[in-house]
Amino acid sequence: MSRVQRYTTSTAGRWAMLVIGMLATASTALLLNGAAFLIPALRDQRGLSLASAGLVVAMPTAGIVLTLFAWGAVVDRVGERRSLIAGSVLTSVAAFCAAATESTVALAVFLLLGGMAAASVNSATGRVVVGWFPPHRRGLAMGIRQMSLPLGVALSALLIPGIARDHGVGTAMLLPAVASALSALACVVGVFDPPRPSRSAASSADLLANPYRGRRDLWRIHGASVALVVPQYVVWTFALVWLVDQRTWSPEAAGVLITVSQILGAGGRIAAGAVSDRVGSRLGPMRWVAVGVVVVMAALAIADALGLAASVVILVVASVATVSPNGLAFTAVAERAGPFWSGRALGAQNTSQFIAASAVPPAFGALITHTSYAVAFGASAAIALLAVPTIPREARDRLHQ
């Protein structure tokens, strides 16, 4: 048995690949989601309005929308390892270019290109988990993988506002640039494609069996995920500004609170995944969490409208609740799509989510400008409510082998 075979068949090797996948996902989160924490610096240093700054920081999520499905097809065709390496390198290059420019327009363009490159990580790391972990461990493993996103946001909240304020927007962009370069190197060393049926040995019927034809479950999971991603991005994008503007916190103190909230959110994703393994269902726990998201966002809207001090505590709870269902939906999609379609299905899953996510900063920025934060929080709760009946109802979701 070769060294690579010993590594990939060992428990330690599988967990090492999961950790590297987390690093890659967290690195892209520094660009995709960390851009939101540039808003105070874009307003103060470049004179942008909240809506205009929101448009600039929405560029990474707009970019990822353009290429998620294409990267999913690439992963289906060439495998996870090469896709991860190429995507991480290209993300790093785009972030370095964003760091080097003084032009706001060029910054937006490079953020867009960085998002387009970062799309490779989503499908590839999801397939690494599904491919290397057995069904009764996938929920937990995917929850751990998904925790890298809130951890990346937490690191962004802790570092990016202060760096951007003291040293400029360009210097802050060095953080995702370096992190993506390091993750590319880690993928070269420690990630290998999981075993799957050979495309050459598979029948044409298996290769062409589109899981979207004659079925509604994948479409409904995508739809529910879109509804649930809106409050998630409302919280991620505007929590820092809300704490500074409405609660008169300093950017540093607000960043620390958001960091703690995101760490707690990472734990929420792990817990949701572990529960799904225990109960043998991805969609049941997803529905439970969706109900919780509706309740907590409505509570946040009411507390903010009344000026209650408890609104800060509710914001922390919302930060945990809104990120918890992602891993459940991601795992359910990968399991149902099968080995020859999971890359594209995960690409479609994330494309639909990021289309909604990219609209949140400018749309809700304008809504807040013309109404209030309370109205924005209430609107996101109403949108999340649509997810509850949309999630497929099954007596028990079979965990696919």
Side-chain angles (χ1 to χ4, degrees):
M1 183 180 291
S2 68
R3 181 189 65 83
V4 172
Q5 289 176 318
R6 289 195 300 271
Y7 171 77
T8 56
T9 57
S10 68
T11 301
R14 293 178 179 181
W15 283 98
M17 285 188 276
L18 174 58
V19 170
I20 294 171
M22 289 176 58
L23 171 63
T25 306
S27 299
T28 58
L30 293 175
L31 178 75
L32 296 171
N33 306 103
F37 300 108
L38 296 173
I39 288 178
L42 289 172
R43 292 198 303 179
D44 296 341
Q45 298 171 16
R46 304 198 180 185
L48 299 184
S49 67
L50 180 60
S52 297
L55 181 62
V56 171
V57 303
M59 286 298 102
T61 50
I64 202 172
V65 166
L66 298 176
T67 56
L68 266 169
F69 189 81
W71 273 113
V74 169
V75 174
D76 282 338
R77 177 65 63 174
V78 307
E80 295 81 0
R81 184 172 187 269
R82 284 184 282 184
S83 299
L84 277 170
I85 294 169
S88 296
V89 168
L90 292 172
T91 303
S92 179
V93 171
F96 273 118
C97 290
T101 184
E102 294 294 329
S103 166
T104 300
V105 173
L107 172 66
V109 170
F110 288 125
L111 288 175
L112 178 72
L113 295 174
M116 293 172 68
S120 64
V121 171
N122 290 71
S123 296
T125 55
R127 283 189 29 147
V128 166
V129 171
V130 173
W132 283 118
F133 284 84
H136 66 283
R137 289 287 181 266
R138 283 179 193 155
L140 175 61
M142 190 68 81
I144 294 174
R145 178 265 185 193
Q146 292 290 95
M147 72 179 279
S148 58
L149 187 55
L151 287 179
V153 176
L155 185 60
S156 299
L158 186 64
L159 298 178
I160 287 179
I163 295 175
R165 181 200 62 207
D166 297 336
H167 305 286
V169 171
T171 302
M173 291 306 300
L174 291 175
L175 185 62
V178 173
S180 294
L182 292 175
S183 71
L185 180 60
C187 291
V188 170
V189 174
V191 171
F192 298 90
D193 293 345
R196 66 174 55 87
S198 170
R199 294 185 67 90
S200 59
S203 67
S204 58
D206 288 335
L207 293 173
L208 298 175
N210 188 332
Y212 289 94
R213 291 177 182 166
R215 293 169 50 182
R216 295 188 300 170
D217 56 336
L218 289 176
W219 292 109
R220 292 180 65 176
I221 294 170
H222 294 334
S225 298
V226 166
L228 290 173
V229 85
V230 171
Q232 176 184 330
Y233 271 76
V234 167
V235 172
W236 277 1
T237 304
F238 297 107
L240 180 74
V241 183
W242 176 79
L243 286 168
V244 173
D245 289 350
Q246 299 296 109
R247 309 307 302 176
T248 65
W249 286 38
S250 69
E252 293 81 5
V256 170
L257 180 68
I258 293 172
T259 299
V260 172
S261 300
Q262 292 300 321
I263 292 172
L264 293 174
R269 289 190 170 191
I270 295 175
V275 169
S276 77
D277 285 339
R278 176 64 64 89
V279 303
S281 170
R282 312 297 182 205
L283 301 183
M286 182 179 173
R287 187 178 301 105
W288 305 337
V289 175
V291 172
V293 170
V294 174
V295 171
V296 73
M297 291 306 298
L300 180 59
I302 294 170
D304 180 61
L306 297 177
L308 301 179
S311 60
V312 174
V313 176
I314 298 173
L315 176 71
V316 174
V317 177
S319 298
V320 176
T322 55
V323 302
S324 297
N326 295 68
L328 300 173
F330 209 66
T331 309
V333 168
E335 290 176 333
R336 284 163 173 73
F340 301 116
W341 273 83
S342 59
R344 281 164 285 185
L346 291 173
Q349 166 75 5
N350 280 306
T351 297
S352 59
Q353 286 185 294
F354 278 112
I355 287 174
S358 63
V360 165
F364 277 80
L367 180 62
I368 292 167
T369 299
H370 293 96
T371 57
S372 66
Y373 283 97
V375 171
F377 295 149
S380 68
I383 293 172
L385 182 61
L386 299 174
V388 178
T390 304
I391 298 169
R393 280 192 176 275
E394 296 176 353
R396 185 177 181 85
D397 300 323
R398 178 171 60 88
L399 299 187
H400 296 250
Q401 301 297 321

